[in-house]
């Protein structure tokens, strides 16, 4: 139609574009360490046994009626216990407004729209670098973005001093987006002590913390440990916001299951806030899908299935941690002149290798290894079968 003549092709998504290029490559020994999705040691996607068992249990037993606008009550309850703790007083006092979201992306987006609607003059401080889609989400919510220092290129670790300066220099009551664990793309997380200092400074400044927790359990293998940053902020009395996702830690990528929660002053405020979160969902997609939420609440609601899940999520984390060690050791065995300590210091799905876009291009052209041009390696794509090949290519490209 002539109406769309001025519609330009959208720019390629930096992450999904890598997968397209990988799929188009006919080379048999090609390696995909681009997309952030777990793969087993044969490079294959994994459906957790706890998920298959939950599916078996619910098969034929649920109807196709609409969920309430806020989504599955059971899934929300289980999600809040996971993020805030089994014995959280905030849950007991009904101070948390929460809705089922379309995975982590949906949770971030509804929050961004909520922030825009109820704090129209606010901005959001986003770490440098961050998951590329964060910029799109708050842009489309019309919330102006500011950057805060996070990654330190020289040490390939956290630039804590610069981070604290930005927190101190931001206007009082600023909104900050924080990765709860397994920072994407750097794999660099503050230590527990650093989180305590950040929380203290947020208190002094009256800043608002919005935690994006897309990897709880997937980082260390222990969901309680991976929620430590949130628990520190809660102990300090911060009224945080939190986006949860079951894409990675339960392998429910395509089921789009997540939860958005906002800590309120009291039950009355939580009821009001929840009703407004639902109002944002209503014109966007009306209500969320049934199946994935039922899988999550079946697993988390059954002690045996939850135990099975805890073992499986630890298994995924352990495999990745093992590949970090293997990649680093292979590079050191090759006599690389560079330090690769950051490969094992970093945590979660990704290793921020420090390779330049040109070096990444060489890996792709000469070795058919695919990763985003920022040098981020999705460790889930590394296997005992390709780690030697990958190390050799990285060594050749960086020596
Ligand atoms: C920090 C963060 N938040 C949120 C999300 C949202 O994930 P989802 O909406 O699937 O729950 C993701 C998923 N990232 O996708 C993998 C990649 O970077 O290659 C994420 O990394």
């Amino acid at each position: 139609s002539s109406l769309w003549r001025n519609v330009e092709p959208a720019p390629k998504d930096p992450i999904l574009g890598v997968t397209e290029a990988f799929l188009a490559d006919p080379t048999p020994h090609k390696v995909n360490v681009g997309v952030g999705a777990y793969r087993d040691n044969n490079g294959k996607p994994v459906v957790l046994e706890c998920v298959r068992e939950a599916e078996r249990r619910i098969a034929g037993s649920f109807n196709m009626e609409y969920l309430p606008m806020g989504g599955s009550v059971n899934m929300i309850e289980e999600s809040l216990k996971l993020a805030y703790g089994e014995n959280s007083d905030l849950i007991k006092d009904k101070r948390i407004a929460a809705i089922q979201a379309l995975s982590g992306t949906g949770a971030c987006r509804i929050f961004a729209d909520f922030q825009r609607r109820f704090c129209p003059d606010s901005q959001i401080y986003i770490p440098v670098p961050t998951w590329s889609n964060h910029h799109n989400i708050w842009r489309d919510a019309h919330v102006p973005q500011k950057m805060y220092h996070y990654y330190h290129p020289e040490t390939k670790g956290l630039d804590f001093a610069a981070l604290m300066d930005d927190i101190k220099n931001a206007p009082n009551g600023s909104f900050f987006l924080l990765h709860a664990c397994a920072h994407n793309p750097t794999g660099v997380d503050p230590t527990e002590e650093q989180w305590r200092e950040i929380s203290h400074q947020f208190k002094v400044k009256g800043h608002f913390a919005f935690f994006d927790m897309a990897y709880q359990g997937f980082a260390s293998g222990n969901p309680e440990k991976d929620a430590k940053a949130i628990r520190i902020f809660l102990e300090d009395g911060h009224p945080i916001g939190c986006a949860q996702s079951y894409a990675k830690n339960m392998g429910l990528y395509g089921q789009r299951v997540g939860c958005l929660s906002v800590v309120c002053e009291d039950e009355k405020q939580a009821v009001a806030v929840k009703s407004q979160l639902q109002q944002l969902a209503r014109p966007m997609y009306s209500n969320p899908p049934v199946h994935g939420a039922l899988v999550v609440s079946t697993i988390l609601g059954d002690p045996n299935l939850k135990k099975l899940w805890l073992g499986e999520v630890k298994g995924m984390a352990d495999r990745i941690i093992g590949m970090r060690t293997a990649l680093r050791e292979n590079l050191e065995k090759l006599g690389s002149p560079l330090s690769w300590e950051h490969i094992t210091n970093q945590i979660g799905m990704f290793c921020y290798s420090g390779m330049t876009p040109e070096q990444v291009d060489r890996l792709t052209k000469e070795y058919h290894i695919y990763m985003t041009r920022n040098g981020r390696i999705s460790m889930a794509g590394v296997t005992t079968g390709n780690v030697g090949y990958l190390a050799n290519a990285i060594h050749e490209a960086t020596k």
Side-chain angles (χ1 to χ4, degrees):
S1 150
S2 61
L3 290 171
W4 318 130
R5 276 199 195 123
N6 63 344
V7 175
E8 295 293 323
K12 279 230 172 292
D13 181 289
I15 297 167
L16 303 181
V18 169
T19 304
E20 277 170 26
F22 170 77
L23 293 174
D25 185 335
T27 315
H29 61 277
K30 62 185 179 180
V31 177
N32 184 3
V33 283
V35 73
Y38 184 77
R39 298 290 178 262
D40 64 15
N41 196 41
N42 300 313
K44 296 283 178 279
V46 169
V47 177
L48 300 184
E49 185 44 40
C50 62
V51 169
R52 287 298 187 216
E53 175 55 26
E55 281 192 306
R56 280 190 285 270
R57 292 191 191 179
I58 64 176
S61 73
F62 62 103
N63 61 40
M64 304 296 166
E65 293 302 296
Y66 287 135
L67 285 174
M69 268 195 288
S72 154
V73 172
N74 285 345
M75 196 279 292
I76 292 167
E77 266 170 23
E78 292 302 337
S79 298
L80 295 185
K81 288 195 292 188
L82 196 61
Y84 294 83
E86 290 283 335
N87 309 310
S88 157
D89 287 338
L90 292 171
I91 296 176
K92 283 194 198 86
D93 300 344
K94 301 186 186 312
R95 285 181 49 196
I96 308 177
I99 62 167
Q100 177 182 331
L102 300 185
S103 215
T105 304
C108 287
R109 178 59 191 269
I110 294 282
F111 178 79
D113 285 357
F114 178 77
Q115 175 188 350
R116 170 70 182 168
R117 180 164 291 183
F118 293 97
C119 295
D121 302 328
S122 66
Q123 306 174 327
I124 182 86
Y125 280 81
I126 294 187
V128 178
T130 195
W131 176 46
S132 54
N133 208 24
H134 281 148
H135 295 298
N136 302 331
I137 290 168
W138 268 270
R139 177 202 61 213
D140 286 1
H142 307 291
V143 176
Q145 298 173 38
K146 305 283 279 189
M147 304 300 155
Y148 68 87
H149 288 84
Y150 189 83
Y151 180 68
H152 194 274
E154 287 67 42
T155 61
K156 298 189 181 58
L158 184 68
D159 193 344
F160 186 63
L163 164 63
M164 290 302 276
D165 279 349
D166 290 343
I167 292 171
K168 287 172 187 156
N169 297 332
N172 290 356
S174 293
F175 285 68
F176 277 74
L177 170 64
L178 300 167
H179 295 232
C181 64
H183 181 269
N184 178 4
T186 67
V188 170
D189 286 354
T191 62
E192 183 175 326
E193 187 41 48
Q194 288 171 329
W195 273 123
R196 292 192 188 286
E197 288 186 55
I198 293 168
S199 176
H200 172 73
Q201 197 54 42
F202 265 55
K203 204 83 181 169
V204 170
K205 296 287 291 182
H207 289 336
F208 179 86
F210 182 73
F211 282 96
D212 182 1
M213 184 154 69
Y215 299 93
Q216 185 182 8
F218 192 89
S220 72
N222 177 342
E224 282 300 293
K225 191 164 184 294
D226 290 348
K228 190 65 187 166
I230 286 182
R231 305 293 169 81
I232 287 168
F233 270 67
L234 295 173
E235 282 156 27
D236 288 351
H238 292 289
I240 67 166
C242 179
Q244 289 171 265
S245 164
Y246 291 100
K248 277 65 174 216
N249 59 7
M250 229 176 245
L252 294 177
Y253 302 91
Q255 291 284 353
R256 314 308 297 139
V257 196
C259 183
L260 167 63
S261 53
V262 178
V263 173
C264 299
E265 282 176 335
D266 53 32
E267 182 176 358
K268 183 167 174 286
Q269 188 181 83
V271 167
V273 167
K274 174 165 179 152
S275 70
Q276 294 295 348
L277 295 175
Q278 289 177 171
Q279 285 305 314
L280 285 160
R282 178 79 170 129
M284 206 183 285
Y285 53 82
S286 184
N287 46 71
V290 172
H291 184 252
L294 201 45
V295 169
V296 170
S297 48
T298 302
I299 291 169
L300 296 180
D302 175 297
N304 293 328
L305 277 186
K306 182 169 180 180
K307 197 153 165 280
L308 176 56
W309 171 60
L310 289 170
E312 292 188 285
V313 71
K314 185 176 184 316
M316 290 192 284
D318 287 350
R319 191 185 88 71
I320 286 192
I321 291 162
M323 288 298 102
R324 287 181 180 277
T325 305
L327 181 58
R328 176 182 168 183
E329 285 177 354
N330 272 272
L331 278 161
E332 288 168 347
K333 239 184 277 169
L334 286 163
S336 171
L338 305 174
S339 160
W340 295 101
E341 198 182 335
H342 56 289
I343 294 180
T344 49
N345 287 343
Q346 294 168 357
I347 184 166
M349 183 87 86
F350 306 108
C351 160
Y352 216 49
S353 65
M355 284 191 283
T356 65
E358 295 69 33
Q359 289 169 332
V360 171
D361 291 343
R362 257 195 79 188
L363 287 185
T364 304
K365 243 192 290 309
E366 292 175 34
Y367 298 92
H368 305 277
I369 294 169
Y370 292 81
M371 67 177 78
T372 38
R373 294 194 81 224
N374 57 7
R376 180 191 87 166
I377 298 171
S378 173
M379 293 307 297
V382 184
T383 68
T384 51
N386 67 26
V387 65
Y389 177 76
L390 176 63
N392 178 63
I394 293 173
H395 175 54
E396 289 305 316
T398 57
K399 69 185 184 186

